[in-house]
Amino acid sequence: MRIAVYPGSFDPITLGHLNLIKRAARIFDKVYVCVMVNSGKKPWFTLEERMEFIQRCIERFGNVEVEYSDKLLVEYAKSRGATVIVKGLRAVTDFEMEFQMALTNSKLEPGIETVFLTASEKYTYLSSTIVREMAKYNADLSQFVPREIKDDLINKLQNRR
């Protein structure tokens, strides 16, 4: 069985994330979408909220599960029997950082490969940071976040103001 992990902070999940999940689900037998703890970021949404948003968006995929981890990514992947880490690339700047992380992960756990999926052209500009910034100004988020969570996401973001 080919098992992959797609990690991220998903604060919040975007249509770009969902596109990568859909594509990974076609390639691998099992995909774990793992909400990771990132000490360098201060999330807007709780871990529970992010996981619930993702769960609602992935229900249509029978081979995808959402979990969280506060471990090193390779430790989490190994615990799930994953041999692949899926990372999305939007631009050259993403590549530099992700390549460095992939090399580090391969040193820590040589049996786990990193596979890079390039963002679909229509999502190359999209990030959770952009979504949060647009939400601050009441922009229409329907082209940026999954329909399953759009209304709840907007309500939660507006209540933060």
Side-chain angles (χ1 to χ4, degrees), residues 49-142:
E49 287 171 327
R50 289 179 280 157
M51 289 183 65
E52 195 250 323
F53 285 158
I54 296 167
Q55 182 59 48
R56 288 179 17 211
C57 295
I58 64 167
E59 286 179 352
R60 62 186 145 187
F61 307 116
N63 62 335
V64 179
E65 288 184 34
V66 62
E67 294 188 338
Y68 79 94
S69 179
D70 58 0
K71 301 178 185 178
L72 282 173
L73 175 56
V74 291
E75 289 177 8
Y76 168 79
K78 192 174 179 180
S79 76
R80 293 296 175 258
T83 56
V84 174
I85 295 169
V86 175
K87 300 296 285 208
L89 296 177
R90 293 172 297 193
V92 173
T93 53
D94 283 348
F95 178 76
E96 291 174 20
M97 182 189 67
E98 296 296 352
F99 185 67
Q100 183 179 17
M101 289 173 63
L103 290 174
T104 302
N105 287 336
S106 71
K107 291 286 186 195
L108 294 171
E109 190 55 56
I112 298 176
E113 295 288 338
T114 299
V115 172
F116 296 111
L117 294 179
T118 56
S120 293
E121 183 179 320
K122 62 184 175 180
Y123 301 123
T124 55
Y125 66 92
L126 188 56
S127 69
S128 296
T129 303
I130 288 173
V131 169
R132 292 190 311 267
E133 188 65 20
M134 290 188 311
K136 286 182 189 177
Y137 298 100
N138 274 342
D140 178 11
L141 299 180
S142 58

